[in-house]
Amino acid sequence: MRSALQAAVKRFRSTLLKTRPSPPSYTSLRPDLPILDLPPANPHHALDRIVAGNRVYAQQTAQEDPNAFVELSKGQAPEILWIGCADSRIPETTVCHCKPGELFVHRNIANVVHADDVNAASVVEYAVTHLKVKKVVVCGHTKCGGANAALVDTDLGETLNTWLHPVRELRRKHKAELAKLPDDDARAVRVAELNVNQSLDVLKLHPAIKKAVNERGLTLHGMIYDIAAGQLRLLEETGQKKSTGLWAPS
């Protein structure tokens, strides 16, 4: 049975190597990562892909920095709390060119922050009070399914209807402004911007954030990620001085 499974794993690896551009050799993986932990071989199976991809990631990372995982195991000290959308096209560590440990993350549908959301509030309290992050970012994006859904009142089911209610209220509140925009894509982007700003307003009322802003200069920032361009855009708050952004390129 063991030899048959090993043979199946080898066939999977061989197929994966042929379909991916010049990946590292799977045969050189660390011996303490047993191949029998892999799922049944199927080159089109999503779980096979992520497990095999993790092996490549672990190997490449260890080769580039032998102490990387040891250092990560000692703890975390991220400077930024990132609150973003659960959309699969916006992995924050990737699009910000960051490393593990640099961003503390909370994601949900349409990056909405509800005043009574204990889930988000607990993340905020831990990040701000205990990790002492220096900045909080709320990031929306173009082509957002939640923002698009908020343009109409289609029944999405009880949970999603409740979750997107604040965003739909924003659409109603800004109906005249949105009507002047050329198409639904533009309207959805504007709704995404309004939603980011509203979420920031909710966050500013969080006791941990209010304390950190007053005592150690914590700052909050809104951003929009343009999926088609692969770029982040920093939003400016009405009545505030122009922000210098989060980082200055060296």
Side-chain angles (χ1 to χ4, degrees), residues 120-159:
S122 64
V123 171
V124 170
E125 186 164 316
Y126 184 73
V128 173
T129 302
H130 300 282
L131 294 179
K132 305 293 185 184
V133 296
K134 298 176 181 179
K135 299 179 185 295
V136 177
V137 170
V138 177
C139 184
H141 65 97
T142 61
K143 303 295 183 180
C144 177
N148 276 309
L151 294 179
V152 293
D153 291 319
T154 303
D155 184 7
L156 302 173
E158 182 178 357
T159 302

Side-chain angles (χ1 to χ4, degrees), residues 147 149-154 165-178 187 191 194:
L151 294 179
V152 293
D153 291 319
T154 303
H165 177 73
V167 190
R168 286 173 164 169
E169 285 296 296
L170 281 174
R171 181 254 298 170
R172 296 184 184 100
K173 180 179 178 180
H174 296 270
K175 181 179 179 180
E177 175 190 353
L178 296 172
R187 283 185 276 275
V191 167
L194 293 168

Side-chain angles (χ1 to χ4, degrees), residues 61-74:
T61 302
Q63 287 176 343
E64 293 170 3
D65 180 2
N67 294 318
F69 295 118
V70 174
E71 291 301 315
L72 284 173
S73 71
K74 294 178 181 178

